[in-house]
Amino acid sequence: MKVTVIGLGPGGGADLTGRAREALAACDLIVGYTAYIELVKKDFPEKEVLSTGMRREVDRCRAAVEAALTGRDVAVVCSGDSGVYGMAGLVYEVAREYDPIDIEVVPGITAACGGAALLGAPLTHDFAVISLSDLLTPWDLIERRLSCAAQADFVICLYNPSSHSRPDYLRRACGILLREKSPDTVCGYVRNIGREGEEAHTLTLGELRDTQVDMFTTVFIGSSKTGLLGGKMVTPRGYLQRNG
Amino acid sequence: MKVTVIGLGPGGGADLTGRAREALAACDLIVGYTAYIELVKKDFPEKEVLSTGMRREVDRCRAAVEAALTGRDVAVVCSGDSGVYGMAGLVYEVAREYDPIDIEVVPGITAACGGAALLGAPLTHDFAVISLSDLLTPWDLIERRLSCAAQADFVICLYNPSSHSRPDYLRRACGILLREKSPDTVCGYVRNIGREGEEAHTLTLGELRDTQVDMFTTVFIGSSKTGLLGGKMVTPRGYLQRNG
């Protein structure tokens, strides 16, 4: 009689933590978006699953809470981390409408961390994470966050940089950042982290503005200190500078 | 002849990913800060280790690169993620001074994600991660980042909020945030994530200003949308609001 919201990491499998693997092994039912259920079924083929399509997030969380109320231990699975743009918040929100149940959140490797590892070490200093999806967030708030993040000289990690219905959002975001940042700013993007077709690229902010990415892509924009070292995107923490 | 920079997650053990565990099992030598080596030795008691004290980060990375150049496979271990304020960036920087070697980064659960899971779901929307340590970063840049993050209405996660030499930094940071944010803003802090003595607390920003925390603490400051649901700190993503 519990819902555990589990982050699978970017690709499931080798990215799973021991804690996530134990929680999946212990549950009675796994609930999730169809593509993430496929990731889990490889490792837990015997488990009962309930999968729902894209944009059925509320239904999915209700189904999980209702199954828990019948006495079952339910796992809700998310790609990446369960807490970063994941289902953890929605499970807490939906559960308020029902009798009290136990909810536990098991974190996973989010795309910011998984993607950074492929590019080098872009997040070794302060950073901001922003989703470019305006399905649930007004675009003017996204613009304000981009502008403030650029003024703060954060490294910026962009989730949901593009989709079929928003093909030009990364270009618009880069335009806002270019008001504050040099077109030579070191950037990178990763695609299909931890999955088949995994790729990582570095480029300048000027080049990024003219690059078409898809919804499986995570984008990194360097701070003024971020550089390229042997092809890797690295933001120095400052140790070498301190030591001379 | 390779250096793998591995994030152990907040507490090591159950927080390790499968990929991190495999990399530790495969290496010849594990290099790290004394406290993190202790975390690893529980699971890999037979491995050769080289531990160094606090603030010996550059020496540690040099030792790892030099051992790799003698033909060994070396793991550098970090608490949390290897890329978020971890050693990944410094390994790339130090390695430039030597003949080329292979470097791989294996991500781990960073304190932002591990701590968020304990508090509820504070990071379900855009957020900024800022270290309050001014050992390597000028305080005026930290102030600017705090101020911009508050203007952007990010959820803010603070690393290194305090130390013996900086007992009042969290108070100063809260003072800056309070210029933009309500004293009723929902906040939380976690201590010893994934370790003995793990604890999580929620409170208001006004209360947080008058709270003394230590160097094992990670602090979360909500956005204007963050609320308390049954004692948990939750930032709505907006699904329920969209659906009615």
Side-chain angles (χ1 to χ4, degrees):
Chain A
M1 180 148 159
K2 172 180 183 177
V3 175
T4 308
V5 196
I6 301 173
L8 301 177
D15 290 317
L16 275 175
T17 67
R19 196 184 303 274
R21 192 170 285 280
E22 279 168 32
L24 286 166
C27 76
D28 304 314
L29 170 69
I30 303 176
V31 177
Y33 168 49
T34 314
Y36 307 150
I37 291 288
E38 290 306 311
L39 285 179
V40 172
K41 286 203 82 159
K42 287 181 201 158
D43 286 333
F44 298 90
E46 78 293 353
K47 286 285 174 187
E48 187 184 342
V49 298
L50 176 64
S51 63
T52 63
M54 278 182 79
R55 305 217 185 162
R56 306 298 299 173
E57 296 87 358
V58 176
D59 296 346
R60 204 181 299 152
C61 293
R62 278 195 213 287
V65 171
E66 288 171 8
L69 283 166
T70 69
R72 311 188 78 189
D73 282 340
V74 183
V76 174
V77 293
C78 312
S79 176
D81 182 29
S82 43
V84 174
Y85 307 111
M87 291 292 105
L90 186 55
V91 168
Y92 278 110
E93 287 185 274
V94 163
R96 293 173 73 197
E97 302 167 18
Y98 298 86
D99 288 337
I101 53 164
D102 278 347
I103 298 171
E104 186 184 350
V105 182
V106 176
I109 304 291
T110 187
C113 296
L118 292 177
L119 285 166
L123 302 185
T124 305
H125 214 299
D126 305 331
F127 64 97
V129 177
I130 303 173
S131 167
L132 292 192
S133 170
D134 63 352
L135 282 177
L136 302 172
T137 307
W139 178 256
D140 62 353
L141 178 58
I142 298 171
E143 278 207 6
R144 177 152 65 97
R145 286 178 172 162
L146 289 165
S147 179
C148 289
Q151 286 168 43
D153 200 23
F154 282 121
V155 179
I156 302 168
C157 180
L158 300 178
Y159 282 52
N160 307 308
S162 182
S163 76
H164 291 303
S165 58
R166 307 178 280 108
D168 64 331
Y169 278 30
L170 178 59
R171 185 180 178 81
R172 287 162 66 179
C174 289
I176 292 159
L177 298 175
L178 282 164
R179 291 178 206 153
E180 306 283 341
K181 297 173 77 75
S182 161
D184 296 327
T185 302
V186 175
C187 297
Y189 66 93
V190 290
R191 199 165 162 271
N192 293 323
I193 309 169
R195 304 185 197 175
E196 207 180 307
E198 178 180 270
E199 46 185 286
H201 305 272
T202 59
L203 71 180
T204 67
L205 181 54
E207 290 164 345
L208 181 66
R209 181 183 46 192
D210 297 323
T211 300
Q212 191 63 52
V213 301
D214 66 15
M215 59 188 293
F216 306 107
T217 303
T218 308
V219 172
F220 295 76
I221 293 114
S223 75
S224 63
K225 297 280 170 52
T226 304
L228 276 181
L229 297 183
K232 294 292 182 175
M233 182 179 179
V234 176
T235 308
R237 179 88 174 86
Y239 294 112
L240 277 180
Q241 292 73 9
R242 175 187 67 181
N243 286 269
Chain B
M1 182 150 158
K2 173 180 183 177
V3 175
T4 309
V5 196
I6 301 174
L8 301 177
D15 290 317
L16 274 175
T17 66
R19 197 185 302 273
R21 194 170 285 279
E22 279 168 31
L24 285 165
C27 76
D28 304 314
L29 170 69
I30 303 177
V31 177
Y33 167 50
T34 314
Y36 307 148
I37 291 288
E38 291 307 311
L39 285 179
V40 173
K41 286 204 83 158
K42 287 181 202 158
D43 286 334
F44 298 91
E46 76 294 352
K47 286 285 174 184
E48 187 184 342
V49 299
L50 175 63
S51 63
T52 62
M54 277 182 78
R55 303 215 186 166
R56 307 297 300 173
E57 294 88 358
V58 176
D59 296 346
R60 205 182 297 151
C61 292
R62 276 194 214 288
V65 171
E66 288 172 8
L69 282 166
T70 69
R72 311 188 77 188
D73 283 340
V74 182
V76 174
V77 293
C78 312
S79 177
D81 182 29
S82 42
V84 175
Y85 307 113
M87 291 292 104
L90 186 55
V91 168
Y92 278 110
E93 288 185 275
V94 162
R96 293 172 73 197
E97 302 166 17
Y98 297 85
D99 288 337
I101 53 164
D102 278 347
I103 299 170
E104 186 183 349
V105 181
V106 176
I109 304 291
T110 186
C113 296
L118 292 177
L119 285 166
L123 302 185
T124 304
H125 213 299
D126 305 330
F127 64 97
V129 176
I130 303 173
S131 168
L132 292 192
S133 169
D134 63 352
L135 281 176
L136 302 172
T137 307
W139 178 256
D140 62 352
L141 178 58
I142 297 171
E143 278 207 6
R144 176 152 66 96
R145 286 180 172 161
L146 289 165
S147 179
C148 289
Q151 287 169 44
D153 199 24
F154 282 121
V155 179
I156 301 169
C157 179
L158 300 178
Y159 283 51
N160 307 308
S162 183
S163 76
H164 291 302
S165 57
R166 307 179 280 108
D168 65 330
Y169 277 30
L170 178 59
R171 185 179 176 82
R172 288 163 67 179
C174 288
I176 292 160
L177 298 175
L178 282 163
R179 291 179 204 153
E180 306 283 341
K181 296 174 76 74
S182 161
D184 296 327
T185 302
V186 175
C187 297
Y189 65 91
V190 291
R191 200 166 161 269
N192 294 324
I193 309 168
R195 305 186 196 176
E196 207 180 307
E198 178 180 88
E199 47 184 286
H201 306 272
T202 58
L203 71 181
T204 67
L205 181 54
E207 290 165 344
L208 181 66
R209 181 184 43 192
D210 297 322
T211 300
Q212 191 63 53
V213 300
D214 65 15
M215 59 189 290
F216 305 106
T217 304
T218 308
V219 172
F220 295 76
I221 294 115
S223 76
S224 63
K225 297 281 171 52
T226 304
L228 275 182
L229 297 183
K232 293 292 183 175
M233 182 180 181
V234 176
T235 308
R237 180 87 173 87
Y239 294 111
L240 277 181
Q241 293 72 8
R242 176 187 66 181
N243 285 270

